[in-house]
Amino acid sequence: MENEQIIVECPLCCATPELKHKKYPGYQEPATFKIYHCPECNTAFSLPMTESISIYENIYKNGDLVPGYDRYWKYAQKVKETENPIEYLSDVEEIYWGVKEALSLIVKDKETSKILEIGSGLGYLTYSLIKANYDVIGLDISKTAVKQAVKNYGNHYICEDLFKYVILNAESFDVIILTEVIEHVVKPKYFVEAILKLLKPGGQIILTTPNKSFYPADIIWHTELPPIHYWWFSEESIKHIAGTFNLEVKFINFKKYFNKHYRTCNIYKCRNSALQSPIFDIAGELIKKNNHQNIHMQYSQLLFSK
């Protein structure tokens, strides 16, 4: 039965997806996942969408040593050492350049615009925006992350589940920022629906996520291993989510950033190299080999207008 096609429904658009790989390596040994691609909304996703809390705890425990995540610990330290931390962040990585660019387009008055960063993690982006005179608070579900953020930058962070936070804070924010969050969420539409409840009328969402549209269709999975990333979204995926809620969507052009920060991406290597390798072993210990690919390369940066 090796050629058997397992038919499921795309969790995003309900079309019939294609099974691309039956046993793709997971972030922690010995887990493997099925990788599907939906040709209707151009979305890749992994199944099963298993719990990942214990893996995140291992990431925070080993943070500055974890391939792909180590840079976040560096940023957390560097922003405290520079006079203009948002300029530093926007220079070192396109994600933060995109956020800065989007804010410059939509925030006309920093004093009256309330901003929420969801998934604030170690807290350095929230802190950097505060230093740039934005009115920002950070929200994260991880007690470990929020405790570290408060220790480093002050009492600008809340530890809470988004769906609980919405209950008492509806229509409280003009702008909500999510950098590299939505691909970690099992049900992204429910997540966006909850976020919309937090926005004031006319409010906007700034969202970044690894961009599948940048890569040829035959590349199966070029983002963090499941279950850290459940999804690999394309621009079509994001348009589909926006359409569900009748939202206007605009993509940020990264040309100015990459004109200054030229990079190459070896598509041939992405297509022909071996599968990515797990980061943690079965005991939760970091595997001591530097074979993690540079997948933080191109991002889908957009504004949702309520």
Side-chain angles (χ1 to χ4, degrees), residues 8 12 31 53 102 104 121 142 162 171-172 175 200 219 249 296 303:
V8 299
L12 200 65
I53 294 174
S104 72
S142 169
L162 169 66
E171 297 191 359
S172 295
V175 181
K200 297 178 184 179
I219 295 179
V249 58
H296 303 280
L303 311 179

Side-chain angles (χ1 to χ4, degrees), residues 159-222:
C159 183
E160 184 62 274
D161 175 81
L162 169 66
F163 295 94
K164 293 180 180 179
Y165 187 73
V166 165
I167 296 171
L168 297 178
N169 295 277
E171 297 191 359
S172 295
F173 298 96
D174 298 282
V175 181
I176 294 178
I177 299 171
L178 305 90
T179 60
E180 312 307 280
V181 174
I182 196 168
E183 64 274 8
H184 297 261
V185 177
V186 173
K187 296 181 177 180
K189 286 187 178 180
Y190 287 109
F191 197 71
V192 170
E193 184 177 35
I195 292 169
L196 290 172
K197 293 176 182 177
L198 288 171
L199 282 177
K200 297 178 184 179
Q204 298 191 68
I205 301 170
I206 301 173
L207 179 153
T208 75
T209 187
N211 187 358
K212 187 179 186 300
S213 299
F214 176 74
Y215 295 90
D218 60 335
I219 295 179
I220 296 172
W221 194 260
H222 198 57

Side-chain angles (χ1 to χ4, degrees), residues 12 25 43 46 55 69 99 105 125 132 135 139 157 159 164 176 204 231 240 248 272-273 279 288 295 299 302:
L12 200 65
T43 304
S46 62
I55 299 178
Y69 279 86
V99 170
L105 294 173
L125 178 57
D135 182 4
L139 179 76
Y157 307 89
C159 183
K164 293 180 180 179
I176 294 178
Q204 298 191 68
W231 304 87
H240 176 82
E248 179 184 1
N272 292 285
S273 61
I279 303 301
K288 303 295 183 182
I295 58 179
Y299 291 84
L302 59 108

Side-chain angles (χ1 to χ4, degrees), residues 236-262:
E236 292 86 354
S237 313
I238 299 302
K239 288 176 183 177
H240 176 82
I241 294 172
T244 300
F245 301 102
N246 197 28
L247 303 175
E248 179 184 1
V249 58
K250 299 177 182 177
F251 292 94
I252 295 294
N253 190 331
F254 283 83
K255 183 177 180 180
K256 285 196 295 184
Y257 179 86
F258 286 110
N259 279 344
K260 183 180 177 183
H261 304 81
Y262 180 78

Side-chain angles (χ1 to χ4, degrees), residues 8-239:
V8 299
E9 188 177 80
C10 173
L12 200 65
C13 74
C14 299
T16 301
E18 301 167 350
L19 178 62
K20 293 295 186 179
H21 202 286
K22 289 186 176 183
K23 290 187 176 182
Y24 205 89
Y27 205 87
Q28 181 171 341
E29 295 177 335
T32 61
F33 297 81
K34 293 181 175 68
I35 301 296
Y36 288 88
H37 173 254
C38 177
E40 183 68 25
C41 62
N42 192 20
T43 304
F45 60 93
S46 62
L47 289 179
M49 293 190 180
T50 57
E51 175 275 323
S52 56
I53 294 174
S54 60
I55 299 178
Y56 285 117
E57 290 304 316
N58 283 334
I59 289 173
Y60 278 112
K61 182 175 69 176
N62 296 277
D64 59 346
L65 300 175
V66 179
Y69 279 86
D70 54 336
R71 71 196 200 282
Y72 297 147
W73 270 257
K74 179 182 73 174
Y75 299 161
Q77 179 60 38
K78 288 289 186 179
V79 296
K80 296 192 294 183
E81 300 172 356
T82 178
E83 292 184 7
N84 195 336
I86 194 61
E87 288 294 333
Y88 160 74
L89 288 178
S90 66
D91 187 62
V92 296
E93 193 157 328
E94 63 269 30
I95 300 173
Y96 309 114
W97 180 90
V99 170
K100 178 190 167 192
E101 182 78 0
L103 286 172
S104 72
L105 294 173
I106 64 178
V107 174
K108 306 305 179 185
D109 186 346
K110 292 182 180 181
E111 292 185 1
T112 61
S113 295
K114 292 185 66 64
I115 301 173
L116 175 69
E117 184 194 0
I118 294 177
S120 52
L122 297 176
Y124 56 82
L125 178 57
T126 290
Y127 165 80
S128 299
L129 292 173
I130 290 171
K131 296 292 282 184
N133 297 317
Y134 288 100
D135 182 4
V136 192
I137 60 172
L139 179 76
D140 203 283
I141 198 170
S142 169
K143 292 181 180 179
T144 303
V146 170
K147 182 178 179 181
Q148 188 65 38
V150 170
K151 179 181 177 181
N152 281 337
Y153 310 119
N155 193 26
H156 308 296
Y157 307 89
I158 298 167
C159 183
E160 184 62 274
D161 175 81
L162 169 66
F163 295 94
K164 293 180 180 179
Y165 187 73
V166 165
I167 296 171
L168 297 178
N169 295 277
E171 297 191 359
S172 295
F173 298 96
D174 298 282
V175 181
I176 294 178
I177 299 171
L178 305 90
T179 60
E180 312 307 280
V181 174
I182 196 168
E183 64 274 8
H184 297 261
V185 177
V186 173
K187 296 181 177 180
K189 286 187 178 180
Y190 287 109
F191 197 71
V192 170
E193 184 177 35
I195 292 169
L196 290 172
K197 293 176 182 177
L198 288 171
L199 282 177
K200 297 178 184 179
Q204 298 191 68
I205 301 170
I206 301 173
L207 179 153
T208 75
T209 187
N211 187 358
K212 187 179 186 300
S213 299
F214 176 74
Y215 295 90
D218 60 335
I219 295 179
I220 296 172
W221 194 260
H222 198 57
T223 188
E224 294 284 4
L225 290 168
I228 292 299
H229 286 188
Y230 299 117
W231 304 87
W232 191 19
F233 293 115
S234 67
E235 292 174 14
E236 292 86 354
S237 313
I238 299 302
K239 288 176 183 177

